[in-house]
Amino acid sequence: MGFRARYTGLIEKYRDRLPVHDDTRIISLGEGNTPLVKLHNLPNLLQKDVDIYVKYEGSNPTGSFKDRGMTMAVTKAVEVGSQAIICASTGNTSAAAAAYAARAGIRAFVLIPEGKIALGKLAQAFMYGATVLQIRGNFDQGMSLVKKVAETAPVTIVNSINPYRLQGQKTASFEVVEALGFAPDYHCLPVGNAGNISAYWMGYCEYYKDGVTNNKPKMLGYQAEGAAPFLQGAPVDYPETVATAIRIGNPQSWNKALAAQQESGGWFDKLSDEKILEAQKMLAQHEGIFCEPASAASVGGAMRDICSGKILEGSRVVCTLTGNGLKDPDTAIAQCHSVKQVAIAAELPAVEKAILDYMK
Amino acid sequence: MGFRARYTGLIEKYRDRLPVHDDTRIISLGEGNTPLVKLHNLPNLLQKDVDIYVKYEGSNPTGSFKDRGMTMAVTKAVEVGSQAIICASTGNTSAAAAAYAARAGIRAFVLIPEGKIALGKLAQAFMYGATVLQIRGNFDQGMSLVKKVAETAPVTIVNSINPYRLQGQKTASFEVVEALGFAPDYHCLPVGNAGNISAYWMGYCEYYKDGVTNNKPKMLGYQAEGAAPFLQGAPVDYPETVATAIRIGNPQSWNKALAAQQESGGWFDKLSDEKILEAQKMLAQHEGIFCEPASAASVGGAMRDICSGKILEGSRVVCTLTGNGLKDPDTAIAQCHSVKQVAIAAELPAVEKAILDYMK
């Protein structure tokens, strides 16, 4: 047939909108191009006339949206000859950094909070061969250390304070607009370090400015109750939440995220851990979509604001599901403690009885 | 802009090649459309002139290739009014069945071998709300039970003996041909229940017959040493392997898979658990790609056959990575026991020292 259409990642796809040169060596794992799935059952349960879509970033190569930024950050680090990258992380950034460093053939140092990282993310950092520094402290302390270390050590920071990260991440907005044919009315995101909401807004504004779309969404940022600096109006010293990916008290992209909220006419709000986990379970059990706890903050927040009428009926809403549910199997299983976990004999009567019991 | 190009799954995309009607209600989670990633570093390490691509099926909605078949099987079950589906599973099929049943609003019963299923897969079955029957037996016993139960109970079997499963799975070959512009010279797959190698061959033959491509690959099937019925030429009563996804002794698609191997001029071979895990780690550490152990059998087998010259130099090789590495975090972490796991103080000197130590 002759044509070939191999998808080779978001830098190749959006080359003219990203800061790369013709001869830049692209470090890619085929990130981006993630599904935008329309929810069918949750809107029915809510009995509200809204279109809700989820941008399922768990389909990225390392299972989170971080890959979008990391392909850019590592590509640019390699371009200037960097031999090592470093980041602080609640787990997803370290997985992405480790994977793209492996692909590039350079070294990755990752600082993670000891004992506060989901199992899957720990497995990833190890398997991809990163040098894992587990610190007795939280993400914010790790972030502060990374910034100091990079002043003298020959390492490139790949946290979202690296400007190339947000450049890569803005492509998610491009994909949403292309999938729908327009920008949504509301775009809902979990907010931790606040880079992603900033990047999405950058992407929407760019497509709007260039006339690719003639509308922009209100940006809605949802935080966990125990880690909600935007609601408090100041950093939180000891952030705590089951949603480890947004267990961050001192967001590095504070000003950018605040601007996104204000310019778009959106808002920040917070959810209890209970409500976050409830939304995670609803998505899995009613839509067949399994995201990590932090991701569910976007849908949990959207559902609440739809029910209250704050999000208007007739609206088109996109929620970003930032990470794969498989990142955190322990929290998922702990949530299902009520499930009957009985082992039965491998015999026909036992299986028939079990099925009949459940069919009742 | 007006155009909209939302990807809505493989049934919509390949509608004219799949057994669905115009008014069939499609049960989809946006499966398929997975990346075909060219390996850069492993071919260099092997010092052989071959193009190796991996079809990364871990990007599917539930993290494995099973979603391709399940969208078809559940769509057809719903079409005939089925209220419940059932399967035996080593874990990936149960995750997919549970997710698509949730999306469809019907019930899923899954039979899994007690204690022999990877953690992520167990979390999925629970979270998606399946009725999980853990049997004191292995996959083959579960499969046998499922077939008996379905004779009388009002449930549709969604194992790969359900013909719609392979129809959905054949689309992976379509995607490979479209990505490359041709079929590869060799296509390597892990072989457990043997449905997937059968489905890929079906897909390649269909595109060849219709002139979409003018070549077909040799189909290479790799089994785990402790679960290698195709090498033994007979079922294995007590299959054992760390690669739980292919811990199967009595493949249901025996004849189809044998035909695929013979008609294509390919071969079956086996790998030790040690070699499977080695390949898994090499992929992660040198390419930044994290698959589950079973998946690595394809790349491990390909690497061995490339080195021995059995796979000819100058060839184009595609290896299917059937499932996401996050499915089995425990096996990954156990493999990295040599990694230094020291927690350090959240202080600059401690971090600087740790980095300098590793830089040496």
Side-chain angles (χ1 to χ4, degrees):
Chain A
M1 68 197 212
F3 81 85
R4 61 173 72 195
R6 190 163 70 88
Y7 177 81
T8 51
L10 60 87
I11 296 181
E12 289 290 3
K13 178 156 183 207
Y14 296 108
R15 186 176 264 282
D16 57 339
R17 293 186 175 275
L18 292 170
V20 287
H21 304 289
D22 286 349
D23 59 351
T24 300
R25 178 185 156 211
I26 309 293
I27 310 299
S28 168
L29 291 166
E31 59 293 318
N33 192 30
T34 57
L36 184 71
V37 182
K38 189 170 185 179
L39 300 190
H40 295 152
N41 303 317
L42 289 191
N44 287 344
L45 286 174
L46 301 179
Q47 294 189 293
K48 291 284 187 177
D49 171 31
V50 280
D51 285 348
I52 312 178
Y53 299 86
V54 294
K55 182 70 172 158
Y56 188 63
E57 292 289 279
S59 280
N60 276 300
T62 79
S64 90
F65 75 97
K66 303 285 184 177
D67 295 339
R68 292 183 185 272
M70 205 55 74
T71 183
M72 271 304 304
V74 174
T75 291
K76 296 304 280 188
V78 167
E79 190 174 62
V80 298
S82 183
Q83 289 298 309
I85 58 176
I86 191 168
C87 66
S89 178
T90 61
N92 282 332
T93 303
S94 56
Y100 285 82
R103 180 78 164 168
I106 64 175
R107 192 180 292 238
F109 294 99
V110 304
L111 272 72
I112 56 176
E114 188 193 8
K116 293 287 183 179
I117 171 176
L119 185 69
K121 304 177 188 184
L122 193 66
Q124 290 182 299
F126 286 150
M127 277 297 280
Y128 292 130
T131 301
V132 179
L133 305 178
Q134 307 203 40
I135 60 163
R136 294 187 206 101
N138 62 25
F139 169 83
D140 302 294
Q141 291 167 294
M143 190 65 239
S144 160
L145 284 166
V146 160
K147 288 197 274 190
K148 282 182 208 149
V149 166
E151 284 173 13
T152 54
V155 291
T156 302
I157 299 181
V158 294
N159 278 103
S160 57
I161 56 171
N162 177 324
Y164 299 118
R165 278 278 308 278
L166 299 200
Q167 285 292 318
Q169 285 171 216
K170 76 180 180 187
T171 60
S173 294
F174 299 166
E175 292 180 12
V176 169
V177 170
E178 286 156 21
L180 295 177
F182 47 78
D185 301 305
Y186 301 89
H187 194 118
C188 307
L189 288 143
V191 172
N193 211 20
N196 210 25
I197 193 169
S198 309
Y200 268 93
W201 182 239
M202 191 188 300
Y204 282 125
C205 288
E206 188 172 323
Y207 261 22
Y208 179 79
K209 183 169 67 71
D210 294 349
V212 186
T213 172
N214 54 23
N215 70 317
K216 287 183 288 188
K218 294 186 193 302
M219 302 300 293
L220 313 187
Y222 297 98
Q223 302 210 280
E225 216 165 62
F230 282 103
L231 281 301
Q232 184 172 306
V236 173
D237 285 340
Y238 302 103
E240 270 310 336
T241 169
V242 69
T244 50
I246 52 174
R247 186 173 170 269
I248 294 175
N250 187 18
Q252 297 297 302
S253 296
W254 184 287
N255 292 336
K256 288 193 185 77
L258 197 62
Q261 175 253 313
Q262 290 175 343
E263 291 168 23
S264 74
W267 56 82
F268 291 108
D269 210 338
K270 60 186 177 181
L271 286 88
S272 67
D273 279 5
E274 192 189 347
K275 284 288 168 196
I276 288 173
L277 294 178
E278 187 183 299
Q280 185 197 19
K281 206 163 178 177
M282 285 182 76
L283 263 174
Q285 306 213 331
H286 295 288
E287 299 286 359
I289 296 169
F290 183 27
C291 62
E292 68 169 319
S295 304
S298 64
V299 170
M303 287 195 298
R304 190 175 59 193
D305 289 342
I306 287 167
C307 288
S308 74
K310 203 169 172 190
I311 290 177
L312 303 175
E313 285 215 60
S315 297
R316 287 132 354 161
V317 180
V318 172
C319 300
T320 297
L321 299 181
T322 45
N324 200 309
L326 287 168
K327 292 268 194 173
D328 191 355
D330 296 316
T331 302
I333 288 175
Q335 266 215 75
C336 300
H337 50 81
S338 63
V339 175
K340 276 197 228 168
Q341 288 198 44
V342 280
I344 59 174
E347 289 161 8
L348 191 58
V351 175
E352 282 177 337
K353 180 172 181 306
I355 290 177
L356 286 175
D357 284 353
Y358 280 102
M359 281 286 196
K360 275 175 198 162
Chain B
M1 69 199 212
F3 80 85
R4 61 173 73 195
R6 190 163 70 89
Y7 177 81
T8 50
L10 60 87
I11 296 181
E12 289 290 3
K13 178 156 184 205
Y14 297 108
R15 186 176 263 282
D16 56 339
R17 294 186 174 275
L18 293 170
V20 287
H21 305 289
D22 285 350
D23 59 351
T24 300
R25 178 185 157 211
I26 310 293
I27 310 299
S28 168
L29 291 166
E31 58 294 317
N33 192 30
T34 57
L36 185 70
V37 182
K38 189 170 186 180
L39 301 189
H40 295 151
N41 302 318
L42 289 190
N44 286 344
L45 285 174
L46 300 179
Q47 295 189 294
K48 292 284 186 177
D49 171 32
V50 281
D51 285 347
I52 312 178
Y53 299 86
V54 293
K55 183 70 171 158
Y56 189 62
E57 293 289 278
S59 280
N60 275 300
T62 79
S64 90
F65 75 99
K66 304 284 185 178
D67 295 340
R68 292 183 185 272
M70 205 55 75
T71 183
M72 272 303 305
V74 175
T75 291
K76 296 305 280 188
V78 167
E79 190 173 64
V80 297
S82 183
Q83 289 297 310
I85 58 175
I86 191 169
C87 65
S89 178
T90 61
N92 282 331
T93 303
S94 57
Y100 285 82
R103 180 78 163 168
I106 63 175
R107 192 180 292 238
F109 294 99
V110 305
L111 273 72
I112 56 176
E114 187 193 8
K116 294 286 184 179
I117 172 175
L119 185 69
K121 304 176 188 183
L122 192 66
Q124 290 182 299
F126 287 150
M127 277 297 280
Y128 292 130
T131 301
V132 179
L133 306 178
Q134 307 202 40
I135 61 163
R136 293 186 206 101
N138 61 26
F139 170 83
D140 303 295
Q141 291 167 292
M143 191 65 240
S144 160
L145 283 166
V146 160
K147 288 196 275 190
K148 283 182 209 149
V149 167
E151 284 173 14
T152 54
V155 291
T156 301
I157 299 181
V158 294
N159 278 103
S160 57
I161 58 172
N162 177 323
Y164 300 118
R165 278 278 308 278
L166 300 199
Q167 285 292 319
Q169 286 172 215
K170 76 180 180 187
T171 60
S173 293
F174 299 167
E175 291 181 11
V176 170
V177 170
E178 286 156 22
L180 295 177
F182 47 79
D185 300 305
Y186 301 89
H187 194 118
C188 308
L189 287 142
V191 172
N193 212 20
N196 210 25
I197 193 169
S198 309
Y200 268 93
W201 183 239
M202 190 189 300
Y204 282 125
C205 288
E206 189 172 323
Y207 261 22
Y208 179 78
K209 183 169 67 67
D210 294 349
V212 186
T213 172
N214 54 24
N215 69 317
K216 287 183 289 187
K218 294 184 192 304
M219 302 299 294
L220 313 188
Y222 297 98
Q223 302 209 281
E225 216 164 64
F230 283 103
L231 281 300
Q232 184 173 306
V236 172
D237 284 341
Y238 301 102
E240 270 309 338
T241 169
V242 69
T244 51
I246 52 173
R247 185 173 170 269
I248 294 174
N250 188 17
Q252 297 297 303
S253 296
W254 184 287
N255 291 335
K256 288 194 186 76
L258 197 63
Q261 175 252 313
Q262 290 174 343
E263 290 168 24
S264 73
W267 57 82
F268 291 109
D269 210 337
K270 61 186 177 181
L271 286 87
S272 66
D273 280 4
E274 192 188 347
K275 284 289 169 196
I276 288 173
L277 293 178
E278 187 183 297
Q280 185 197 21
K281 206 162 178 179
M282 284 182 77
L283 264 173
Q285 306 214 330
H286 294 288
E287 299 285 359
I289 296 168
F290 183 28
C291 62
E292 69 169 318
S295 305
S298 64
V299 170
M303 286 196 297
R304 190 175 60 193
D305 288 343
I306 287 167
C307 288
S308 74
K310 203 169 172 189
I311 289 178
L312 303 175
E313 286 215 59
S315 297
R316 285 130 357 158
V317 180
V318 172
C319 299
T320 297
L321 299 180
T322 44
N324 200 309
L326 287 168
K327 292 267 195 173
D328 190 355
D330 296 315
T331 302
I333 288 174
Q335 266 215 76
C336 300
H337 50 80
S338 63
V339 175
K340 275 196 227 168
Q341 289 197 44
V342 280
I344 58 175
E347 290 161 7
L348 191 58
V351 175
E352 283 178 335
K353 180 172 180 308
I355 290 177
L356 285 175
D357 284 353
Y358 280 102
M359 281 286 196
K360 274 174 198 162

